[in-house]
């Protein structure tokens, strides 16, 4: 039996010089959205999912953004999609996707088993993890369905790594882009900014 799928949403697009690649090289452009794809895909595989990377940038963030629209379509058209992974701008779009599904297709929320959000903190780097918890969406669905059974999915939420989590040769590089790499390496909850 094939593995379930994880939709992976990239961060914002950017010209060269803004976001480093996996080696710390800043001279790479990100026209389809910044993301260390290898780390994100390997994380999906280790969790038992087939990775599906959407080549749409994370900006703008809204229910009707190109990235959110593509993700909603992919989710609704493929029953094997059971997880979302959002990095940076893509992480903010995961929230918009969940809001859309809760309001318009709440019966599909039962298919979700895992929501991963990395590098998408709230103001002042604060955690916005409660916005991704199933409890944030069950109430909307309950209003539509009297016999609604609460949904339940795992949330893996991290803001940004701290410098001490970085490999020695990359300690002076901005940590934001390395969230997927650090998560793959075993980033414990509660560590980071």
């Amino acid at each position: 039996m094939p593995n379930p799928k994880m939709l992976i949403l990239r961060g914002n697009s950017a010209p060269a010089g803004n976001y480093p690649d996996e080696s710390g090289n800043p001279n790479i452009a990100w026209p389809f959205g910044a993301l260390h794809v290898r780390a994100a895909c390997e994380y999906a595989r280790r969790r038992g999912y087939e990775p599906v990377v959407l080549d749409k940038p994370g900006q703008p963030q809204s229910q009707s953004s190109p990235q959110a629209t593509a993700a909603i379509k992919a989710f609704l058209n493929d029953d094997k999609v059971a997880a979302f992974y959002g990095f940076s701008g893509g992480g903010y779009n995961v929230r918009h996707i969940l809001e859309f599904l809760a309001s318009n297709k709440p019966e599909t929320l039962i298919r979700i088993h895992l929501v991963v959000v990395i590098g998408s903190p709230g103001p002042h780097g604060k955690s916005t993890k409660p916005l991704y918890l199933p409890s944030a969406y069950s109430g909307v669905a309950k209003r539509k369905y009297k016999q609604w059974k609460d949904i339940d999915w795992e949330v893996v939420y991290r803001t940004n790594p701290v410098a001490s989590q970085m490999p020695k040769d990359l300690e002076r590089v901005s940590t934001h882009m390395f969230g997927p790499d650090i998560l793959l390496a075993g980033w414990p909850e509660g560590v980071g900014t």
Side-chain angles (χ1 to χ4, degrees), residues 154-182:
E154 178 186 356
V155 176
V156 174
Y157 178 92
R158 306 290 186 273
T159 52
N160 289 306
V162 292
S164 63
Q165 292 175 281
M166 298 286 284
K168 294 291 180 208
D169 57 333
L170 296 173
E171 283 182 333
R172 289 190 171 86
V173 176
S174 171
T175 65
H176 175 69
M177 279 298 293
F178 291 88
D181 307 84
I182 303 297

Side-chain angles (χ1 to χ4, degrees), residues 39 53 55 77 85 138 181 189:
V53 180
D55 286 337
N77 289 339
Y85 180 119
S138 276
D181 307 84
E189 189 166 7

Side-chain angles (χ1 to χ4, degrees), residues 21-79:
D21 68 9
E22 292 89 339
S23 302
N25 176 7
N27 299 319
I28 183 169
W30 302 93
F32 300 112
L35 174 70
H36 290 178
V37 174
R38 184 204 56 79
C41 289
E42 183 58 25
Y43 180 84
R45 286 186 200 96
R46 288 186 188 178
R47 293 298 306 262
Y49 294 91
E50 176 188 333
V52 178
V53 180
L54 297 180
D55 286 337
K56 300 276 186 194
Q59 83 272 31
Q61 288 105 37
S62 73
Q63 287 185 18
S64 60
S65 72
Q67 186 183 68
T69 301
I72 291 166
K73 182 178 178 183
F75 178 76
L76 294 177
N77 289 339
D78 189 346
D79 288 345

Side-chain angles (χ1 to χ4, degrees), residues 9 62-63 68-69 71-72 75 82-86 90-117 128-138 140-141 151 153-155:
L9 284 66
S62 73
Q63 287 185 18
T69 301
I72 291 166
F75 178 76
F84 291 97
Y85 180 119
Y92 296 117
N93 274 328
V94 168
R95 180 173 57 91
H96 294 301
I97 292 162
L98 295 173
E99 288 172 346
F100 175 88
L101 294 172
S103 296
N104 298 287
K105 298 282 187 180
E107 67 281 4
T108 65
L109 294 173
I110 199 77
R111 284 185 16 222
I112 301 171
H113 296 278
L114 176 62
V115 172
V116 179
V117 177
T128 57
K129 184 176 181 177
L131 300 175
Y132 300 95
L133 297 173
S135 58
Y137 303 96
S138 276
V140 176
I151 50 179
W153 60 68
E154 178 186 356
V155 176

